[in-house]
Amino acid sequence: MKPFTLPPLGLRAGLLLAVLTAVLAPALLWLLAALLPSEALGNASASWRAAVLLMVVVQGVAAAMLVLHLLSRRLEEPLARLVEQMHALAALRAESTRPPPDPVPELAPLACALDALRRRMRQLQGELQAGKARLRKATMYDAVTGLPNRALLQELFGHEAAAARRQARSLALLRIGLDRLHTVSDTLGHHVGEELVTGMAHRLAATLRDSDFICRGADDEFLVLLAGPVGWDRVASAAERLLRCVEEPLQLPRSSQVLGASASVGIAMYPGDGGDFEGLARAASLALQRSRTLGRGLYSFYQPGLDQALRERIDAERELAHALEHDEFTLHYQPMVDAGSGRIVGCEALLRWQHPRRGLLAPAEFIDTARQCRLMADIDAWVLEAACGEFAHWLGHGLAPGRMALNLSVQQARNPALSEALRDSLERHCLVPAMLELEITEDAFLDDPEGMPRALARWRTLGLGLTVDDFGVGYSSLSQLRRLRPQRLKIDCSLVRGLPHDAEDCALAQAMLAMAAALGIEVLAEGVETRAQEQWLLAQGCRLQQGHLHGAPMPAAAFAARLGASAREDAPA
Ligand code: C2E
Ligand code: MG
Ligand code: MG
């Protein structure tokens, strides 16, 4: 729209002169006509009258123009202001416009409407600002903890990195991974997991300096950017402080629980370990994974070469997932015998992977990877189902397999859903619980001294047997055994290997047998390979044995044949 403008000054002066002339000229003529005698005018009177009439018309027009001019002068200033306001509104400057002048009555409704428009626009601008602030919070802050998110840290990193480059100094990016957050969420509920993360977020933030930044990087991960001058010692002591603060028990206000936690930290230095945020975050992630594989509560600095190790692990994980999907796992069964009579009293189901290229693989080659990538629970579920199915099949064919032992990973043992899965499998395959026993390694009890007794209580109510596996290589104490009261202990292969020549191994085995007898716990010796080992153990009263001497782990069909053969031997002639 074209803005309203006043006519130029020359035009206005000309207009005024014309009006004055128009008003004064007829007045002079009238005066002349009145003063001169009428005969002096003579024939000219008619032309005078015509001229005067013309003058009067001209004067009328001039007067009208004058009125119009005065009127336009009156409206000119307020109209210009209103137009100015409209332009300001169009340019979204609701605040910056001058207030309207005292409105002339003709323009009052327009001024009023404009004012309402300006107020509405100011209100909409306020709402827009608030919306923008909310949007920024949603896109830049984590909804659960209230901490900045990765995107905001990345933005901050840009500024910090530029400053660090100018001043030729380093920055450190720390990746903090909370251990077992998924287990907490799975067992105690998602809301408890969120409370734990929030509590830890506040605690970590309080541990840092004002110049440092922390954000939530992922579900169970925080990222910390140490700005300011950072040397290795400052980074290491910050990592140590962060790790220790996580380990303090945390009181969760809403769920009224006190939880202990632990974390691992991976550290990457800018610019050495990565020239941009993504590269640095990746290096810190590799370092974090290294910390996790070394144990809990540790920090590691990034080292070149970790990339290759990680790539290999990712490939292995992919292969494992593929193996589960394509039924490449199988179970082998190893007999457990009463060495006194030679009879099979049960078997242990042992996992194997029929790898398409590498052949038959034992658990040592893949179980650690499966544990680390959280596929272990799925594999355990597969083992439970396959073993129960096989056992029911043998029973259906009139065989007497005794009882079957299953190995459980620590994660699976702690999972409360396991009881339900066990009950379900037993029911579906029409098995009684006493036919199954679960083997948990000695270390699992040390690993989770609070959770394991609860898990055991759940299995006991189901009527399942419990065996402590690999006994003698960990640090189980007598008091722990008294508390757990397993049905059976398995003396580890490594101890049996020294029998009967190694005096120390013999003394240890004897002590274990005496201790178990005092607590009423049965003992089975694993890894029995020689007649001498068998006889020494028998002499100590250890009849339950398992090992290559009595039979190596074998496919299901071979074990069924062995059961059939021993049933025929036992049958009266
Ligand atoms: P484990 O439960 O202690 O199993 C006994 C291991 O000793 C088996 O190794 C078995 O093949 C081996 N063994 C048996 N007799 C002898 C012998 O006379 N001499 C020697 N040197 N070794 C003998 P395997 O099958 O390689 O299993 C290794 C470990 O993997 C098992 O130790 C168990 O902790 C774990 N594992 C096996 N199957 C499963 C499974 O289905 N689930 C889980 N979570 N872990 C499993
Ligand atoms: Mg075992
Ligand atoms: Mg064992």
Side-chain angles (χ1 to χ4, degrees), residues 348 350 407 439 469-470 490 526:
E348 178 176 6
L350 293 160
N407 293 284
E439 295 192 0
D469 203 353
D470 301 348
K490 278 187 154 184
E526 282 191 300

Side-chain angles (χ1 to χ4, degrees), residues 40-318:
L41 292 170
N43 291 341
S45 81
S47 359
W48 271 109
R49 270 195 296 273
V52 167
L53 191 64
L54 181 68
M55 293 278 187
V56 168
V57 170
V58 169
Q59 193 179 14
V61 170
M65 283 178 71
L66 182 66
V67 168
L68 268 176
H69 174 69
L70 290 175
L71 201 62
S72 87
R73 284 292 310 261
R74 198 170 114 82
L75 295 179
E76 199 171 85
E77 167 71 5
L79 252 179
R81 283 281 188 92
L82 288 175
V83 169
E84 181 193 328
Q85 281 186 19
M86 281 177 169
H87 282 296
L89 287 179
L92 300 178
R93 282 185 282 112
E95 291 303 335
S96 63
T97 52
R98 281 185 288 158
D102 289 341
V104 286
E106 297 86 339
L107 293 179
L110 183 59
C112 197
L114 205 59
D115 200 40
L117 183 64
R118 198 184 50 210
R119 270 185 277 118
R120 177 81 184 116
M121 206 168 123
R122 199 179 301 152
Q123 182 196 353
L124 287 177
Q125 274 181 334
E127 285 172 17
L128 191 68
Q129 291 302 333
K132 269 189 187 166
R134 274 199 304 277
L135 192 67
R136 182 172 165 81
K137 197 161 177 3
T139 51
M140 293 296 194
Y141 289 83
D142 174 52
V144 175
T145 59
L147 286 184
N149 65 14
R150 194 187 157 101
L152 185 49
L153 186 78
Q154 187 162 3
E155 206 177 290
L156 288 168
F157 172 83
H159 303 300
E160 288 298 322
R165 272 196 306 274
R166 278 195 306 275
Q167 297 157 17
R169 59 179 169 81
S170 308
L171 296 176
L173 186 70
L174 279 67
R175 220 168 168 138
I176 307 168
L178 286 182
D179 299 321
R180 294 205 206 140
L181 179 69
H182 290 275
T183 317
V184 170
S185 298
D186 289 349
T187 51
L188 300 173
H190 191 60
H191 61 288
V192 180
E194 286 198 344
E195 248 194 299
L196 179 67
V197 174
T198 309
M200 287 305 168
H202 293 155
R203 212 182 245 187
L204 290 168
T207 310
L208 294 169
R209 294 184 187 178
D210 288 347
S211 56
D212 303 332
F213 303 104
I214 180 167
C215 82
R216 187 167 184 203
D219 258 9
D220 55 355
E221 267 186 38
F222 298 99
L223 287 170
V224 169
L225 183 66
L226 297 186
V230 286
W232 292 78
D233 47 348
R234 190 200 149 199
V235 180
S237 77
E240 191 67 42
R241 245 190 358 266
L242 291 166
L243 284 171
R244 298 295 84 88
C245 91
V246 170
E247 284 165 10
E248 291 287 311
L250 181 70
Q251 167 85 50
L252 304 183
R254 268 184 289 141
S255 51
S256 314
Q257 309 229 23
V258 179
L259 286 186
S262 64
S264 310
V265 173
I267 305 166
M269 303 291 286
Y270 174 85
D273 299 336
D276 58 11
F277 185 77
E278 283 309 325
L280 203 64
R282 199 168 158 275
S285 171
L286 292 168
L288 171 61
Q289 295 192 32
R290 181 162 182 269
S291 297
R292 281 181 160 150
T293 51
L294 292 175
R296 292 200 186 110
L298 299 174
Y299 63 84
S300 308
F301 282 90
Y302 170 78
Q303 290 165 6
L306 284 178
D307 299 42
Q308 179 59 23
L310 182 75
R311 240 194 309 278
E312 281 168 13
R313 229 191 73 190
I314 290 172
D315 286 348
E317 285 176 15
R318 203 174 298 131

Side-chain angles (χ1 to χ4, degrees), residues 352-372:
R352 299 288 179 266
W353 178 5
Q354 189 62 58
H355 194 282
R357 282 177 288 105
R358 295 160 63 200
L360 193 67
L361 303 182
E365 307 217 37
F366 59 87
I367 223 152
D368 276 346
T369 313
R371 278 192 189 120
Q372 282 161 16

Side-chain angles (χ1 to χ4, degrees), residues 256-448:
S256 314
Q257 309 229 23
V258 179
L259 286 186
S262 64
S264 310
V265 173
I267 305 166
M269 303 291 286
Y270 174 85
D273 299 336
D276 58 11
F277 185 77
E278 283 309 325
L280 203 64
R282 199 168 158 275
S285 171
L286 292 168
L288 171 61
Q289 295 192 32
R290 181 162 182 269
S291 297
R292 281 181 160 150
T293 51
L294 292 175
R296 292 200 186 110
L298 299 174
Y299 63 84
S300 308
F301 282 90
Y302 170 78
Q303 290 165 6
L306 284 178
D307 299 42
Q308 179 59 23
L310 182 75
R311 240 194 309 278
E312 281 168 13
R313 229 191 73 190
I314 290 172
D315 286 348
E317 285 176 15
R318 203 174 298 131
E319 270 196 306
L320 272 176
H322 178 275
L324 251 181
E325 238 172 73
H326 294 82
D327 238 1
E328 289 173 8
F329 289 113
T330 180
L331 288 175
H332 279 193
Y333 299 87
Q334 184 173 34
M336 299 194 282
V337 300
D338 172 354
S341 64
R343 286 184 47 212
I344 296 176
V345 295
C347 65
E348 178 176 6
L350 293 160
L351 184 62
R352 299 288 179 266
W353 178 5
Q354 189 62 58
H355 194 282
R357 282 177 288 105
R358 295 160 63 200
L360 193 67
L361 303 182
E365 307 217 37
F366 59 87
I367 223 152
D368 276 346
T369 313
R371 278 192 189 120
Q372 282 161 16
C373 70
R374 303 194 182 122
L375 269 177
M376 204 57 229
D378 294 338
I379 295 178
D380 281 334
W382 179 88
V383 169
L384 176 65
E385 184 54 27
C388 287
E390 199 62 64
F391 200 80
H393 177 75
W394 294 331
L395 289 174
H397 284 75
L399 298 170
R403 56 174 190 263
M404 177 151 65
L406 294 180
N407 293 284
L408 277 188
S409 64
V410 188
Q411 296 104 304
Q412 180 72 334
R414 249 194 257 116
N415 186 353
L418 174 68
S419 299
E420 199 44 51
L422 282 165
R423 190 181 299 123
D424 183 56
S425 279
L426 289 169
E427 266 175 27
R428 245 174 325 104
H429 296 290
C430 304
L431 302 178
V432 289
M435 291 172 173
L436 269 198
E437 64 184 52
L438 304 178
E439 295 192 0
I440 302 286
T441 57
E442 190 185 4
D443 287 345
F445 295 101
L446 297 173
D447 219 27
D448 189 7

